Protein backbone atom coordinates (compact mmCIF):
# COMPACT_ATOMS: atom_id res chain seq x y z
CA UNK A 1 0.00 0.00 0.00
CA UNK A 2 2.74 2.40 1.03
CA UNK A 3 4.84 1.45 -2.00
CA UNK A 4 1.86 2.07 -4.25
CA UNK A 5 1.21 5.40 -2.65
CA UNK A 6 4.84 6.35 -3.02
CA UNK A 7 4.82 5.30 -6.63
CA UNK A 8 1.67 7.30 -7.22
CA UNK A 9 3.21 10.39 -5.66
CA UNK A 10 6.42 9.82 -7.59
CA UNK A 11 4.61 9.54 -10.90
CA UNK A 12 2.48 12.50 -9.96
CA UNK A 13 5.53 14.60 -9.16
CA UNK A 14 7.43 13.77 -12.36
CA UNK A 15 4.39 13.91 -14.62
CA UNK A 16 4.48 17.68 -14.50
CA UNK A 17 0.99 17.80 -13.08
CA UNK A 18 2.33 19.35 -9.92
CA UNK A 19 2.13 23.07 -10.19
CA UNK A 20 5.59 24.43 -9.32
CA UNK A 21 3.97 27.48 -7.78
CA UNK A 22 1.89 25.30 -5.45
CA UNK A 23 4.92 23.22 -4.55
CA UNK A 24 6.86 26.38 -3.79
CA UNK A 25 4.02 27.62 -1.57
CA UNK A 26 3.83 24.36 0.35
CA UNK A 27 7.59 24.41 0.84
CA UNK A 28 7.50 28.01 2.05
CA UNK A 29 4.66 27.23 4.47
CA UNK A 30 6.31 24.12 5.82
CA UNK A 31 9.47 26.12 6.53
CA UNK A 32 7.42 28.51 8.68
CA UNK A 33 6.04 25.67 10.79
CA UNK A 34 7.60 23.63 13.54
CA UNK A 35 7.51 19.87 13.76
CA UNK A 36 6.20 19.19 17.26
CA UNK A 37 7.82 15.79 17.49
CA UNK A 38 11.37 16.92 16.75
CA UNK A 39 11.01 20.44 17.99
CA UNK A 40 14.10 22.04 16.50
CA UNK A 41 13.16 21.08 12.99
CA UNK A 42 10.72 22.73 10.66
CA UNK A 43 7.97 20.72 9.02
CA UNK A 44 9.98 20.86 5.83
CA UNK A 45 13.04 19.24 7.42
CA UNK A 46 11.33 16.64 9.57
CA UNK A 47 10.81 13.02 8.68
CA UNK A 48 8.50 12.36 11.62
CA UNK A 49 5.19 10.78 10.76
CA UNK A 50 3.25 13.68 12.22
CA UNK A 51 5.24 16.06 10.02
CA UNK A 52 4.27 14.15 6.90
CA UNK A 53 0.62 14.15 8.06
CA UNK A 54 0.79 17.90 8.56
CA UNK A 55 2.42 18.40 5.18
CA UNK A 56 -0.46 16.43 3.73
CA UNK A 57 -2.82 18.86 5.51
CA UNK A 58 -0.92 21.79 3.97
CA UNK A 59 -1.21 20.25 0.53
CA UNK A 60 -4.94 19.67 0.93
CA UNK A 61 -5.60 23.14 2.24
CA UNK A 62 -3.58 24.75 -0.52
CA UNK A 63 -5.51 22.65 -3.02
CA UNK A 64 -8.77 23.77 -1.38
CA UNK A 65 -7.77 27.34 -2.10
CA UNK A 66 -7.10 28.58 1.44
CA UNK A 67 -4.78 31.53 1.91
CA UNK A 68 -1.43 31.19 3.71
CA UNK A 69 -2.80 33.03 6.75
CA UNK A 70 -5.84 30.78 6.92
CA UNK A 71 -3.63 27.70 6.82
CA UNK A 72 -1.28 29.00 9.52
CA UNK A 73 -4.33 29.94 11.63
CA UNK A 74 -5.72 26.44 11.20
CA UNK A 75 -2.57 24.97 12.73
CA UNK A 76 -2.19 27.61 15.45
CA UNK A 77 -5.76 26.90 16.60
CA UNK A 78 -4.84 23.26 17.10
CA UNK A 79 -1.23 23.33 18.20
CA UNK A 80 -0.80 26.84 19.60
CA UNK A 81 1.75 29.52 18.71
CA UNK A 82 4.50 26.98 19.28
CA UNK A 83 3.78 25.48 15.88
CA UNK A 84 5.07 28.67 14.27
CA UNK A 85 8.83 28.47 13.86
CA UNK A 86 9.18 32.20 14.53
CA UNK A 87 7.20 33.16 17.63
CA UNK A 88 4.59 35.84 16.85
CA UNK A 89 5.16 39.36 18.14
CA UNK A 90 2.57 39.97 20.87
CA UNK A 91 2.22 40.96 24.53
CA UNK A 92 3.40 37.62 25.93
CA UNK A 93 6.45 37.49 23.66
CA UNK A 94 7.46 41.11 24.13
CA UNK A 95 10.34 40.17 26.41
CA UNK A 96 11.49 37.52 23.97
CA UNK A 97 11.64 39.90 21.03
CA UNK A 98 12.75 43.07 22.80
CA UNK A 99 14.80 41.56 25.64
CA UNK A 100 18.05 41.34 23.67
CA UNK A 101 17.78 44.99 22.61
CA UNK A 102 17.03 46.05 26.20
CA UNK A 103 20.11 44.14 27.36
CA UNK A 104 22.20 45.70 24.60
CA UNK A 105 21.02 49.19 25.55
CA UNK A 106 21.71 48.51 29.25
CA UNK A 107 25.20 47.25 28.44
CA UNK A 108 25.91 50.32 26.29
CA UNK A 109 24.70 52.59 29.10
CA UNK A 110 26.97 50.88 31.63
CA UNK A 111 29.91 51.10 29.22
CA UNK A 112 29.42 54.81 28.55
CA UNK A 113 29.00 55.73 32.23
CA UNK A 114 32.07 53.74 33.31
CA UNK A 115 34.17 55.28 30.55
CA UNK A 116 33.03 58.78 31.54
CA UNK A 117 33.70 58.16 35.20
CA UNK A 118 37.13 56.82 34.42
CA UNK A 119 38.00 59.89 32.36
CA UNK A 120 36.93 62.23 35.15
CA UNK A 121 38.86 60.32 37.82
CA UNK A 122 42.52 61.31 38.53
CA UNK A 123 45.02 59.34 36.51
CA UNK A 124 46.69 57.87 39.56
CA UNK A 125 44.70 57.42 42.69
CA UNK A 126 45.96 59.39 45.68
CA UNK A 127 47.76 57.36 48.29
CA UNK A 128 45.79 56.47 51.37
CA UNK A 129 47.06 57.27 54.88
CA UNK A 130 48.32 53.72 55.34
CA UNK A 131 50.17 53.76 52.03
CA UNK A 132 51.80 57.10 52.85
CA UNK A 133 53.03 55.78 56.16
CA UNK A 134 54.44 52.72 54.45
CA UNK A 135 56.26 54.84 51.87
CA UNK A 136 57.70 57.06 54.60
CA UNK A 137 58.89 54.11 56.58
CA UNK A 138 60.73 52.65 53.61
CA UNK A 139 62.00 55.80 51.90
CA UNK A 140 62.11 58.25 54.77
CA UNK A 141 59.96 61.39 55.22
CA UNK A 142 59.29 63.41 52.13
CA UNK A 143 61.50 66.48 51.57
CA UNK A 144 59.89 69.86 50.81
CA UNK A 145 60.89 69.44 47.15
CA UNK A 146 58.67 66.43 47.02
CA UNK A 147 61.52 63.95 46.67
CA UNK A 148 62.42 61.49 49.33
CA UNK A 149 65.84 62.19 50.79
CA UNK A 150 67.33 59.09 49.37
CA UNK A 151 67.38 57.09 52.53
CA UNK A 152 70.82 58.42 53.38
CA UNK A 153 70.38 57.78 57.07
CA UNK B 1 33.15 44.61 48.16
CA UNK B 2 30.23 46.60 46.82
CA UNK B 3 31.43 46.39 43.24
CA UNK B 4 31.01 42.61 43.31
CA UNK B 5 27.40 42.80 44.44
CA UNK B 6 25.97 43.63 41.02
CA UNK B 7 27.61 40.78 39.09
CA UNK B 8 26.69 38.45 41.95
CA UNK B 9 23.05 39.54 41.78
CA UNK B 10 22.97 39.07 38.00
CA UNK B 11 24.59 35.67 38.39
CA UNK B 12 22.01 34.57 40.96
CA UNK B 13 19.14 35.74 38.73
CA UNK B 14 20.65 33.83 35.82
CA UNK B 15 21.00 30.67 37.92
CA UNK B 16 17.37 31.12 38.99
CA UNK B 17 16.24 31.19 35.36
CA UNK B 18 18.31 28.12 34.55
CA UNK B 19 16.95 26.18 37.54
CA UNK B 20 13.37 26.94 36.46
CA UNK B 21 14.28 26.04 32.88
CA UNK B 22 15.62 22.66 33.99
CA UNK B 23 12.28 21.81 35.55
CA UNK B 24 10.25 22.73 32.46
CA UNK B 25 9.56 19.99 29.97
CA UNK B 26 9.86 21.40 26.45
CA UNK B 27 7.84 18.47 25.19
CA UNK B 28 4.79 19.76 27.02
CA UNK B 29 3.33 22.30 24.67
CA UNK B 30 0.31 23.96 26.29
CA UNK B 31 -2.77 23.22 24.22
CA UNK B 32 -4.81 26.16 22.93
CA UNK B 33 -7.83 23.85 23.02
CA UNK B 34 -8.18 23.82 26.81
CA UNK B 35 -11.32 25.84 27.62
CA UNK B 36 -12.65 25.42 24.07
CA UNK B 37 -15.30 23.01 22.78
CA UNK B 38 -13.90 19.62 21.84
CA UNK B 39 -13.69 19.41 18.04
CA UNK B 40 -16.53 17.42 16.53
CA UNK B 41 -15.89 14.24 14.57
CA UNK B 42 -17.64 11.14 13.39
CA UNK B 43 -15.61 7.95 13.40
CA UNK B 44 -16.23 4.20 13.22
CA UNK B 45 -16.12 2.29 16.49
CA UNK B 46 -13.29 -0.22 16.96
CA UNK B 47 -15.32 -3.23 18.02
CA UNK B 48 -18.40 -2.32 15.91
CA UNK B 49 -17.01 -1.13 12.57
CA UNK B 50 -20.48 -0.52 11.15
CA UNK B 51 -21.39 1.93 13.93
CA UNK B 52 -20.10 5.43 14.33
CA UNK B 53 -19.32 7.59 17.33
CA UNK B 54 -19.72 11.36 17.70
CA UNK B 55 -18.51 13.23 20.81
CA UNK B 56 -21.99 14.74 21.06
CA UNK B 57 -23.16 11.33 22.34
CA UNK B 58 -21.36 12.13 25.60
CA UNK B 59 -23.25 15.36 26.32
CA UNK B 60 -24.13 15.68 29.98
CA UNK B 61 -21.23 13.53 31.14
CA UNK B 62 -17.72 14.33 32.28
CA UNK B 63 -15.48 11.96 30.35
CA UNK B 64 -11.94 11.19 29.29
CA UNK B 65 -10.82 10.89 25.70
CA UNK B 66 -7.59 8.91 25.67
CA UNK B 67 -5.54 8.82 22.48
CA UNK B 68 -3.82 5.45 22.18
CA UNK B 69 -2.28 3.04 19.72
CA UNK B 70 -0.97 -0.49 19.84
CA UNK B 71 2.43 0.70 18.56
CA UNK B 72 2.72 3.22 21.38
CA UNK B 73 5.13 2.09 24.09
CA UNK B 74 4.18 4.66 26.74
CA UNK B 75 0.54 3.57 26.41
CA UNK B 76 1.51 0.28 28.09
CA UNK B 77 2.95 2.22 30.97
CA UNK B 78 -0.26 4.20 31.29
CA UNK B 79 -2.65 1.30 30.78
CA UNK B 80 -2.84 -0.04 34.37
CA UNK B 81 -3.80 3.46 35.57
CA UNK B 82 -6.67 3.59 33.06
CA UNK B 83 -7.80 0.05 33.92
CA UNK B 84 -7.87 0.96 37.59
CA UNK B 85 -9.76 4.20 36.88
CA UNK B 86 -12.32 2.32 34.78
CA UNK B 87 -12.81 -0.20 37.57
CA UNK B 88 -13.48 2.59 40.04
CA UNK B 89 -16.17 3.87 37.72
CA UNK B 90 -15.38 7.56 38.29
CA UNK B 91 -16.15 8.55 34.71
CA UNK B 92 -16.41 7.00 31.27
CA UNK B 93 -13.12 6.57 29.43
CA UNK B 94 -13.27 6.58 25.66
CA UNK B 95 -10.41 5.75 23.38
CA UNK B 96 -9.24 7.39 20.18
CA UNK B 97 -7.31 4.68 18.42
CA UNK B 98 -4.76 6.75 16.54
CA UNK B 99 -3.12 5.64 13.28
CA UNK B 100 -3.40 2.00 14.13
CA UNK B 101 -4.47 -1.21 12.42
CA UNK B 102 -7.80 -2.62 13.58
CA UNK B 103 -6.45 -6.12 14.18
CA UNK B 104 -3.43 -4.84 16.08
CA UNK B 105 -5.64 -2.61 18.20
CA UNK B 106 -8.07 -5.41 19.06
CA UNK B 107 -5.24 -7.81 19.89
CA UNK B 108 -3.64 -5.16 22.10
CA UNK B 109 -6.85 -4.64 24.05
CA UNK B 110 -7.27 -8.39 24.45
CA UNK B 111 -3.75 -8.72 25.78
CA UNK B 112 -3.67 -5.76 28.15
CA UNK B 113 -7.36 -5.33 29.01
CA UNK B 114 -9.92 -2.80 27.80
CA UNK B 115 -10.67 0.22 30.01
CA UNK B 116 -12.64 1.96 27.25
CA UNK B 117 -16.39 2.14 26.86
CA UNK B 118 -15.53 2.24 23.20
CA UNK B 119 -12.68 3.34 20.98
CA UNK B 120 -13.16 5.51 17.93
CA UNK B 121 -10.90 4.64 15.02
CA UNK B 122 -8.82 7.50 13.64
CA UNK B 123 -6.92 5.47 11.08
CA UNK B 124 -5.24 8.29 9.18
CA UNK B 125 -4.75 10.66 12.13
CA UNK B 126 -6.92 13.50 10.81
CA UNK B 127 -8.97 13.83 13.98
CA UNK B 128 -5.71 13.68 15.89
CA UNK B 129 -4.64 16.83 14.06
CA UNK B 130 -7.95 18.52 14.96
CA UNK B 131 -7.22 17.75 18.61
CA UNK B 132 -3.61 18.89 18.34
CA UNK B 133 -2.23 15.44 19.03
CA UNK B 134 1.52 15.26 18.49
CA UNK B 135 2.54 12.34 20.65
CA UNK B 136 0.64 9.36 21.93
CA UNK B 137 -0.65 8.93 24.60
CA UNK B 138 -2.54 12.15 25.13
CA UNK B 139 -5.70 12.51 27.16
CA UNK B 140 -8.46 15.11 27.17
CA UNK B 141 -10.86 15.73 30.03
CA UNK B 142 -14.16 16.90 28.55
CA UNK B 143 -17.01 18.31 30.62
CA UNK B 144 -20.78 17.93 30.37
CA UNK B 145 -21.02 20.83 27.90
CA UNK B 146 -18.41 19.27 25.64
CA UNK B 147 -15.64 21.70 26.61
CA UNK B 148 -12.06 20.46 26.99
CA UNK B 149 -10.98 21.17 30.57
CA UNK B 150 -7.58 19.56 30.75
CA UNK B 151 -5.05 17.97 28.45
CA UNK B 152 -2.50 15.46 29.60
CA UNK B 153 0.47 15.04 27.29
CA UNK B 154 2.18 11.72 27.79
CA UNK B 155 1.05 8.93 30.07
CA UNK B 156 -1.32 9.59 32.97
CA UNK B 157 0.61 8.70 36.10
CA UNK B 158 -1.13 7.86 39.40
CA UNK B 159 0.17 11.20 40.73
CA UNK B 160 -1.32 13.20 37.84
CA UNK B 161 -4.59 11.33 38.24
CA UNK B 162 -4.91 11.96 41.98
CA UNK B 163 -3.56 15.50 42.08
CA UNK B 164 -4.87 17.02 38.85
CA UNK B 165 -7.50 15.02 37.04
CA UNK B 166 -9.68 13.65 39.85
CA UNK B 167 -9.99 16.98 41.78
CA UNK B 168 -10.96 18.66 38.49
CA UNK B 169 -13.53 15.95 37.79
CA UNK B 170 -15.01 16.42 41.26
CA UNK B 171 -15.36 20.16 40.75
CA UNK B 172 -16.84 19.68 37.27
CA UNK B 173 -19.42 17.21 38.50
CA UNK B 174 -20.79 19.62 41.10
Amino acid sequence: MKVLLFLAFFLFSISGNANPETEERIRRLSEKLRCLVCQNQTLADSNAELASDLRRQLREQVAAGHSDDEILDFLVQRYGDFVLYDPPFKATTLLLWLGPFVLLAAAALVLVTTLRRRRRAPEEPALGQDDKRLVERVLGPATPSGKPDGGAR
Amino acid sequence: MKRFLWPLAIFIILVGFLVVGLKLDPREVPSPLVGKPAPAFELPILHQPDKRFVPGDMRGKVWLLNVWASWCVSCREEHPVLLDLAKRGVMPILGLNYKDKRDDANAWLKQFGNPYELSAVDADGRIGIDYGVYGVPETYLIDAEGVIRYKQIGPITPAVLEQKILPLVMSLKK
Side-chain angles (χ1 to χ4, degrees):
Chain A
M1 181 61 196
K2 269 194 180 149
V3 177
L4 264 177
L5 211 68
F6 177 76
L7 212 65
F9 268 113
F10 184 66
L11 287 175
F12 180 71
S13 59
I14 59 166
S15 67
N17 269 346
N19 180 346
E21 229 169 82
T22 318
E23 295 304 310
E24 173 62 21
R25 233 184 106 195
I26 292 169
R27 198 187 55 76
R28 223 169 354 99
L29 276 171
S30 59
E31 275 172 0
K32 277 190 201 165
L33 292 161
R34 182 190 305 277
C35 169
L36 287 114
V37 180
C38 13
Q39 299 182 339
N40 285 333
Q41 283 187 308
T42 62
L43 270 191
D45 296 335
S46 174
N47 284 321
E49 204 161 324
L50 179 72
S52 75
D53 284 358
L54 289 175
R55 281 196 300 265
R56 183 191 62 196
Q57 277 284 347
L58 292 184
R59 187 171 296 276
E60 286 172 3
Q61 302 230 355
V62 166
H66 294 294
S67 74
D68 284 8
D69 282 345
E70 280 170 350
I71 296 173
L72 293 179
D73 265 0
F74 171 90
L75 285 162
V76 168
Q77 272 168 27
R78 283 155 180 77
Y79 289 97
D81 287 338
F82 192 66
V83 80
L84 301 173
Y85 210 74
D86 283 335
F89 187 80
K90 56 186 198 183
T92 48
T93 57
L94 223 59
L95 195 64
L96 182 69
W97 280 103
L98 299 183
F101 298 107
V102 172
L103 280 181
L104 191 68
L109 201 73
V110 168
L111 184 71
V112 167
T113 46
T114 0
L115 284 181
R116 275 207 189 141
R117 201 180 295 158
R118 208 172 276 175
R119 199 184 303 155
R120 234 179 286 140
E123 290 281 296
E124 276 173 48
L127 293 179
Q129 280 302 318
D130 286 352
D131 295 330
K132 264 185 193 154
R133 235 170 277 143
L134 185 68
V135 169
E136 276 173 18
R137 215 180 64 211
V138 175
L139 301 177
T143 55
S145 68
K147 286 179 194 158
D149 64 356
R153 272 182 287 166
Chain B
M1 186 59 210
K2 212 172 160 192
R3 56 188 297 212
F4 295 116
L5 275 179
W6 267 108
L8 184 68
I10 292 171
F11 176 73
I12 289 173
I13 291 171
L14 201 65
V15 167
F17 272 114
L18 291 176
V19 165
V20 173
L22 269 182
K23 288 186 179 159
L24 293 176
D25 183 358
R27 299 209 60 84
E28 282 195 16
V29 181
S31 173
L33 288 167
V34 173
K36 302 229 173 80
F41 60 82
E42 191 186 332
L43 286 175
I45 294 169
L46 182 65
H47 55 275
Q48 295 167 298
D50 48 329
K51 285 198 181 155
R52 299 175 86 79
F53 169 77
V54 291
D57 294 348
M58 299 304 288
R59 268 290 147 89
K61 287 179 194 165
V62 178
W63 57 292
L64 279 186
L65 181 67
N66 175 247
V67 184
W68 68 281
S70 65
W71 47 260
C72 151
V73 180
S74 316
C75 296
R76 298 182 190 201
E77 186 189 317
E78 175 186 60
H79 213 59
V81 180
L82 292 180
L83 284 170
D84 179 56
L85 182 64
K87 209 185 285 170
R88 282 153 71 181
V90 183
M91 65 190 138
I93 307 172
L94 282 86
L96 185 71
N97 185 228
Y98 178 74
K99 300 193 77 165
D100 208 349
K101 293 197 183 89
R102 191 177 286 273
D103 292 342
D104 292 351
N106 277 322
W108 197 83
L109 288 182
K110 200 171 265 176
Q111 187 183 349
F112 295 103
N114 185 358
Y116 307 112
E117 286 205 351
L118 59 86
S119 283
V121 180
D122 183 22
D124 55 7
R126 274 166 206 277
I127 305 307
I129 290 177
D130 278 346
Y131 275 77
V133 172
Y134 62 89
V136 192
E138 287 182 14
T139 306
Y140 300 83
L141 177 65
I142 299 171
D143 72 8
E145 271 80 52
V147 174
I148 295 176
R149 291 299 183 171
Y150 177 77
K151 179 184 180 185
Q152 169 70 19
I153 293 157
I156 298 178
T157 60
V160 167
L161 185 68
E162 299 298 335
Q163 287 158 22
K164 287 191 181 158
I165 298 179
L166 288 181
L168 199 54
V169 172
M170 290 310 144
S171 70
L172 286 176
K173 277 189 171 174
K174 262 174 213 164

